[in-house]
Structures are given as structure tokens and as C-alpha cells.
Amino acid sequence: MKYLLLFSVCIICSCQTKTSTKKDSGTTDSHYLDYLLKEYHERTLVGLFFVDSVYAKKLSPDLNLTTSSYCSIDTFFKRNMLATAEKYIGTIEDHKRNEIIHQLEYWLKNDALLSGVINNLNKDLIFGEIISDLPETQVFLKQYLTAPGQYWGSLDAGQSCKLYYDITGYLLTLNDEKRIAFFKQYFEVACRISLKNK
């Protein structure tokens, strides 16, 4: 019953187009970004890195991402990156800023839904196992399975973290209908695996 309740809550959340994080018509993009930075701090900074290629290119030399460093990306953004992000956002043209903030909002919603299941449904639930059961995301997993006999359980920590960010990027390419369909499948698979592991 608790799985059905969690599944229902998650689907309702993913189906809503207006949320408590939705900016009102009187709020400027700068203020809305301030709100996101205050509420979701380093996840907003991480999301900005993934949705804005110009910002990503600017930070890449300092970040120096390798597959193994994706697990510590939050730590990087905790260190003095707030001022850098705010300064950068101030330089973006208005029409581009709107697009970036829209993408950032979706990235944060997707991040919350993806991680919420992993963090709250079952302590033994593994992200790679869910992804391996979804036909549309198997291609992302397969790029890390290079040796014969490898499967989702053979991913190292860095590959698992990188896979997570591959999926958050993929979700940004989906329209609302496909995004909702993805999360419906994602929650169904997560519940099925959780019940099987009981």
C-alpha cells in the first residue's frame, strides 16, 4: 500500500505544470534564480552547469570532470561557486536567461523525482537496476558495459553517478507527455524491484 501511495504522489507531482517553485508574473528571472539558489543551493548550481553549455565550458577547466568525479560534483559547487554563478547569470541576455531558467527548473524537478525514489522507497534500490529495466534508457547504461558479462551491478561508483547525470540530460530532451510517461515507467519499475527484493 505504501508503494501505491508513493507512486501516486510522485505521479501527481510529475504531472503538475504549476508547482510551488513556479515563479509568479511579478517575479523577475533574477529573483526567481535567487529563490532557486536559496532553496536548492548546490543542486541549482549543478543543474545550471548541465543546462547551460556556455557556463559549463567556462567551469570545465576548474571542474575537470572525469567519470570518477561525477560523484563529488556537489562538493565542487559548494565551494565558493555561488558568486560565480550569480555573476555569470547577470551577463546573460534576457531572452537566453528565460530559456536557461526554464530548463533549470525542469532539471531540478527531474532531479527531485529521480533521486526521491532512490532515496525514499527502498534502501537497497539501485538506480542502474531501474535504468536497465527501461528500454529507452538501456542505451545509456550500455555505454559503461564494455566487458562480456557486465551488467548494471558491475558499474563502479563513478559510472553510476555519471549514468544518473546522463539520464537527467536525456529527460530535458523530452516533451511533457514523454517525460510523464518516462516517470510512470520509472516508478512502476522501482516499485516492482522493491517488492521483489522484500
Side-chain angles (χ1 to χ4, degrees), residues 3 6 10 13 17 26 32 37 46-47 52 82 88 90-91 99 106 113 124 136 145 148 150 157 186 189-190:
Y3 296 116
L6 177 64
C10 291
C13 290
T17 55
Y32 187 56
L37 287 167
V46 172
D52 186 347
L82 184 58
Y88 170 73
T91 67
E99 180 185 323
Y106 266 95
L113 290 168
D124 298 322
E136 67 188 286
L145 306 179
Q150 274 192 293
Y186 180 78
V189 169

Side-chain angles (χ1 to χ4, degrees), residues 111-144:
D111 179 53
L113 290 168
L114 285 173
S115 63
V117 168
I118 301 300
N119 295 332
N120 298 306
L121 189 59
N122 183 325
K123 65 181 175 62
D124 298 322
L125 197 58
I126 297 173
F127 183 71
E129 184 176 8
I130 301 171
I131 295 308
S132 73
D133 258 8
L134 298 171
E136 67 188 286
T137 57
Q138 287 174 359
V139 66
F140 297 101
L141 175 64
K142 285 179 183 172
Q143 67 185 335
Y144 301 108

Side-chain angles (χ1 to χ4, degrees), residues 129-130 133-134 185-194:
E129 184 176 8
I130 301 171
D133 258 8
L134 298 171
Q185 276 190 296
Y186 180 78
F187 296 132
E188 285 172 351
V189 169
C191 289
R192 185 175 73 241
I193 292 170
S194 292

